[in-house]
Amino acid sequence: EVQLVESGGGLVQPGGSLRLSCAASGFTFSSYWMHWVRQAPGKGLVWVSRISSDGSSTTYADSVKGRFTISRDNAKNTLSLQMNSLRAEDTAVYHCASLYSSSWSEYFQHWGQGTLVTVSA
Amino acid sequence: DIQMTQSPSSLSASVGDRVTITCRASQSINSYLNWYQQKPGKAPKVLIYAASSLQSGVPSRFSGSGSGTDFTLTISSLQPEDFATYFCQQSYSTPPTFGQGTKLEIK
């Protein structure tokens, strides 16, 4: 059974830092591009960042560029998101997701339940 | 970025009803359109990918259609477990973007 389990969320003050982790199991983690998607309370889904299967390529949403860093450890089947200079608008549940990709389709195949990050004084 | 607009934002329906949700892209995305279902406190789950392909394990009462800029998700006969929020998502270009969601509630 495929599992993605996020951890590391919590309450942090504006300007603070937090590191999220996503533990993957049940599939060949090292073969998949991985993504972070966030969801503010009562709101929709917003893409945050992605990393290639070997970790050599990363991309970020403009709203987090320069503040967040995505990384992965394929030996430990773990995805991470280092979040610095946090703002109130970063408050959200953060989901990790694996991307299925073929020549004619691409979609988020598996998702974790998410970890809540609250940025507040 | 490609903007995705869903309608309606919310919908009340009864068990057994046929329901259609619409998603419109701000530019052509060919068939790079996916639909997800999300229940409160749970992770999203893919229902339809590439506009009309049913994900393995998803009941056949769910179907998707469309190409270019206009897409629909249809539930042919609503079941109690279908009351949830539905999101469309384009995978044509980076960044991937989602519709704002359609909350399907029991009438």
Side-chain angles (χ1 to χ4, degrees), chain A residues 12-43:
Chain A
V12 61
Q13 292 188 338
S17 298
L18 215 53
R19 186 176 182 88
L20 306 184
S21 294
C22 170
S25 61
F27 67 108
T28 308
F29 178 74
S30 59
S31 297
Y32 287 81
W33 286 60
M34 294 296 296
H35 295 242
W36 287 98
V37 177
R38 68 186 181 183
Q39 188 169 28
K43 301 296 184 181

Short mmCIF file of all heavy atoms in Angstrom, two decimals, chain A residues 12-43:
data_model
loop_
_atom_site.label_atom_id
_atom_site.label_comp_id
_atom_site.label_asym_id
_atom_site.label_seq_id
_atom_site.Cartn_x
_atom_site.Cartn_y
_atom_site.Cartn_z
N VAL A 12 4.29 28.76 14.31
CA VAL A 12 5.56 29.49 14.22
C VAL A 12 5.25 30.97 14.06
O VAL A 12 4.23 31.35 13.47
CB VAL A 12 6.41 28.96 13.04
CG1 VAL A 12 5.69 29.14 11.71
CG2 VAL A 12 7.79 29.59 13.01
N GLN A 13 6.12 31.80 14.59
CA GLN A 13 5.94 33.24 14.48
C GLN A 13 6.33 33.75 13.10
O GLN A 13 7.17 33.12 12.41
CB GLN A 13 6.79 33.95 15.55
CG GLN A 13 6.32 33.72 16.97
CD GLN A 13 7.06 34.58 17.97
OE1 GLN A 13 8.16 35.05 17.71
NE2 GLN A 13 6.45 34.80 19.13
N PRO A 14 5.74 34.85 12.68
CA PRO A 14 6.16 35.45 11.39
C PRO A 14 7.67 35.69 11.38
O PRO A 14 8.24 36.15 12.38
CB PRO A 14 5.39 36.77 11.36
CG PRO A 14 4.17 36.51 12.19
CD PRO A 14 4.63 35.59 13.29
N GLY A 15 8.28 35.34 10.26
CA GLY A 15 9.73 35.44 10.13
C GLY A 15 10.47 34.20 10.56
O GLY A 15 11.68 34.09 10.32
N GLY A 16 9.77 33.27 11.14
CA GLY A 16 10.39 32.04 11.63
C GLY A 16 10.58 30.99 10.56
O GLY A 16 10.28 31.21 9.37
N SER A 17 11.09 29.84 10.98
CA SER A 17 11.39 28.74 10.06
C SER A 17 10.76 27.45 10.55
O SER A 17 10.48 27.28 11.73
CB SER A 17 12.91 28.54 9.95
OG SER A 17 13.54 29.69 9.43
N LEU A 18 10.56 26.55 9.58
CA LEU A 18 9.99 25.24 9.88
C LEU A 18 10.47 24.29 8.80
O LEU A 18 10.65 24.71 7.63
CB LEU A 18 8.47 25.33 9.88
CG LEU A 18 7.63 24.49 10.84
CD1 LEU A 18 8.09 24.68 12.30
CD2 LEU A 18 6.17 24.87 10.72
N ARG A 19 10.67 23.04 9.16
CA ARG A 19 11.07 22.03 8.17
C ARG A 19 10.04 20.92 8.17
O ARG A 19 9.81 20.27 9.20
CB ARG A 19 12.45 21.46 8.49
CG ARG A 19 12.98 20.51 7.41
CD ARG A 19 14.41 20.06 7.73
NE ARG A 19 14.96 19.19 6.71
CZ ARG A 19 15.61 19.63 5.64
NH1 ARG A 19 15.79 20.93 5.45
NH2 ARG A 19 16.10 18.77 4.74
N LEU A 20 9.42 20.72 7.01
CA LEU A 20 8.45 19.65 6.85
C LEU A 20 9.12 18.42 6.24
O LEU A 20 10.05 18.55 5.44
CB LEU A 20 7.31 20.09 5.92
CG LEU A 20 6.58 21.38 6.29
CD1 LEU A 20 5.43 21.62 5.32
CD2 LEU A 20 6.11 21.37 7.72
N SER A 21 8.61 17.26 6.63
CA SER A 21 9.10 16.00 6.04
C SER A 21 7.92 15.19 5.53
O SER A 21 6.79 15.34 6.01
CB SER A 21 9.86 15.19 7.08
OG SER A 21 11.04 15.83 7.47
N CYS A 22 8.20 14.34 4.57
CA CYS A 22 7.20 13.44 4.00
C CYS A 22 7.86 12.08 3.85
O CYS A 22 8.82 11.94 3.07
CB CYS A 22 6.72 13.98 2.66
SG CYS A 22 5.70 12.83 1.70
N ALA A 23 7.37 11.10 4.61
CA ALA A 23 7.92 9.75 4.55
C ALA A 23 7.11 8.93 3.56
O ALA A 23 5.88 8.82 3.70
CB ALA A 23 7.88 9.12 5.92
N ALA A 24 7.78 8.35 2.59
CA ALA A 24 7.12 7.59 1.53
C ALA A 24 7.37 6.11 1.69
O ALA A 24 8.47 5.68 2.08
CB ALA A 24 7.62 8.05 0.17
N SER A 25 6.35 5.31 1.37
CA SER A 25 6.50 3.86 1.38
C SER A 25 5.50 3.24 0.42
O SER A 25 4.52 3.87 0.02
CB SER A 25 6.27 3.31 2.80
OG SER A 25 4.98 3.62 3.24
N GLY A 26 5.79 2.01 0.01
CA GLY A 26 4.87 1.28 -0.85
C GLY A 26 5.04 1.50 -2.33
O GLY A 26 4.27 0.97 -3.13
N PHE A 27 6.03 2.29 -2.72
CA PHE A 27 6.32 2.50 -4.14
C PHE A 27 7.79 2.87 -4.29
O PHE A 27 8.48 3.14 -3.30
CB PHE A 27 5.42 3.58 -4.74
CG PHE A 27 5.65 4.99 -4.24
CD1 PHE A 27 6.25 5.96 -5.04
CD2 PHE A 27 5.25 5.36 -2.96
CE1 PHE A 27 6.45 7.25 -4.58
CE2 PHE A 27 5.44 6.65 -2.48
CZ PHE A 27 6.05 7.60 -3.30
N THR A 28 8.27 2.88 -5.51
CA THR A 28 9.67 3.17 -5.77
C THR A 28 9.86 4.69 -5.77
O THR A 28 9.81 5.36 -6.80
CB THR A 28 10.12 2.56 -7.11
OG1 THR A 28 9.79 1.17 -7.13
CG2 THR A 28 11.64 2.72 -7.27
N PHE A 29 10.09 5.21 -4.58
CA PHE A 29 10.17 6.66 -4.36
C PHE A 29 11.15 7.33 -5.32
O PHE A 29 10.86 8.39 -5.87
CB PHE A 29 10.58 6.91 -2.91
CG PHE A 29 10.74 8.35 -2.52
CD1 PHE A 29 9.64 9.17 -2.34
CD2 PHE A 29 12.01 8.89 -2.30
CE1 PHE A 29 9.78 10.50 -1.97
CE2 PHE A 29 12.17 10.21 -1.93
CZ PHE A 29 11.05 11.02 -1.76
N SER A 30 12.28 6.71 -5.55
CA SER A 30 13.34 7.33 -6.34
C SER A 30 12.99 7.47 -7.82
O SER A 30 13.73 8.11 -8.57
CB SER A 30 14.63 6.52 -6.20
OG SER A 30 14.42 5.20 -6.63
N SER A 31 11.86 6.90 -8.24
CA SER A 31 11.46 6.98 -9.64
C SER A 31 10.48 8.12 -9.93
O SER A 31 10.14 8.36 -11.09
CB SER A 31 10.81 5.66 -10.08
OG SER A 31 11.72 4.59 -10.00
N TYR A 32 10.03 8.78 -8.89
CA TYR A 32 8.95 9.76 -9.06
C TYR A 32 9.37 11.19 -8.72
O TYR A 32 10.05 11.43 -7.73
CB TYR A 32 7.76 9.38 -8.17
CG TYR A 32 7.00 8.19 -8.65
CD1 TYR A 32 7.45 6.89 -8.38
CD2 TYR A 32 5.84 8.33 -9.41
CE1 TYR A 32 6.77 5.78 -8.84
CE2 TYR A 32 5.14 7.23 -9.86
CZ TYR A 32 5.61 5.95 -9.58
OH TYR A 32 4.92 4.86 -10.03
N TRP A 33 8.91 12.12 -9.56
CA TRP A 33 8.96 13.52 -9.17
C TRP A 33 7.99 13.69 -8.00
O TRP A 33 6.92 13.09 -7.97
CB TRP A 33 8.52 14.41 -10.33
CG TRP A 33 9.53 14.54 -11.42
CD1 TRP A 33 10.06 13.55 -12.20
CD2 TRP A 33 10.13 15.76 -11.88
NE1 TRP A 33 10.94 14.06 -13.10
CE2 TRP A 33 11.01 15.43 -12.94
CE3 TRP A 33 10.00 17.11 -11.51
CZ2 TRP A 33 11.77 16.38 -13.62
CZ3 TRP A 33 10.75 18.06 -12.20
CH2 TRP A 33 11.62 17.70 -13.23
N MET A 34 8.37 14.52 -7.07
CA MET A 34 7.55 14.77 -5.89
C MET A 34 7.22 16.26 -5.78
O MET A 34 8.02 17.13 -6.18
CB MET A 34 8.28 14.30 -4.63
CG MET A 34 8.50 12.80 -4.56
SD MET A 34 6.97 11.83 -4.48
CE MET A 34 6.28 12.36 -2.90
N HIS A 35 6.06 16.53 -5.21
CA HIS A 35 5.56 17.90 -5.13
C HIS A 35 5.04 18.21 -3.73
O HIS A 35 4.67 17.31 -2.98
CB HIS A 35 4.39 18.09 -6.11
CG HIS A 35 4.77 17.97 -7.54
ND1 HIS A 35 4.64 19.01 -8.44
CD2 HIS A 35 5.27 16.92 -8.25
CE1 HIS A 35 5.03 18.61 -9.64
NE2 HIS A 35 5.41 17.34 -9.55
N TRP A 36 5.00 19.50 -3.41
CA TRP A 36 4.29 20.00 -2.25
C TRP A 36 3.13 20.87 -2.76
O TRP A 36 3.32 21.71 -3.65
CB TRP A 36 5.19 20.82 -1.35
CG TRP A 36 6.19 20.03 -0.57
CD1 TRP A 36 7.50 19.82 -0.88
CD2 TRP A 36 5.96 19.31 0.65
NE1 TRP A 36 8.10 19.03 0.07
CE2 TRP A 36 7.18 18.71 1.03
CE3 TRP A 36 4.85 19.14 1.49
CZ2 TRP A 36 7.33 17.94 2.19
CZ3 TRP A 36 4.99 18.37 2.64
CH2 TRP A 36 6.21 17.79 2.98
N VAL A 37 1.97 20.63 -2.19
CA VAL A 37 0.77 21.41 -2.51
C VAL A 37 0.18 21.84 -1.18
O VAL A 37 0.10 21.05 -0.25
CB VAL A 37 -0.26 20.56 -3.30
CG1 VAL A 37 -1.53 21.35 -3.56
CG2 VAL A 37 0.35 20.07 -4.61
N ARG A 38 -0.25 23.10 -1.09
CA ARG A 38 -0.80 23.57 0.17
C ARG A 38 -2.25 24.01 0.03
O ARG A 38 -2.73 24.30 -1.08
CB ARG A 38 0.04 24.70 0.76
CG ARG A 38 0.02 26.01 0.00
CD ARG A 38 1.03 26.99 0.63
NE ARG A 38 1.04 28.29 -0.04
CZ ARG A 38 1.88 29.28 0.29
NH1 ARG A 38 2.77 29.09 1.26
NH2 ARG A 38 1.83 30.43 -0.36
N GLN A 39 -2.91 24.05 1.18
CA GLN A 39 -4.33 24.39 1.20
C GLN A 39 -4.60 25.22 2.44
O GLN A 39 -4.56 24.70 3.56
CB GLN A 39 -5.17 23.11 1.19
CG GLN A 39 -6.65 23.31 1.02
CD GLN A 39 -7.36 22.00 0.76
OE1 GLN A 39 -6.93 20.92 1.19
NE2 GLN A 39 -8.49 22.07 0.04
N ALA A 40 -4.84 26.52 2.26
CA ALA A 40 -5.19 27.38 3.37
C ALA A 40 -6.54 26.95 3.92
O ALA A 40 -7.36 26.38 3.18
CB ALA A 40 -5.22 28.83 2.92
N PRO A 41 -6.79 27.19 5.21
CA PRO A 41 -8.05 26.75 5.82
C PRO A 41 -9.28 27.19 5.03
O PRO A 41 -9.47 28.37 4.76
CB PRO A 41 -8.01 27.41 7.20
CG PRO A 41 -6.56 27.56 7.51
CD PRO A 41 -5.91 27.86 6.19
N GLY A 42 -10.08 26.21 4.63
CA GLY A 42 -11.31 26.50 3.89
C GLY A 42 -11.11 26.95 2.46
O GLY A 42 -12.07 27.37 1.81
N LYS A 43 -9.89 26.84 1.97
CA LYS A 43 -9.59 27.32 0.61
C LYS A 43 -9.22 26.18 -0.32
O LYS A 43 -9.27 25.01 0.04
CB LYS A 43 -8.43 28.34 0.68
CG LYS A 43 -8.72 29.54 1.56
CD LYS A 43 -9.86 30.37 1.02
CE LYS A 43 -10.07 31.63 1.85
NZ LYS A 43 -11.20 32.46 1.35
#
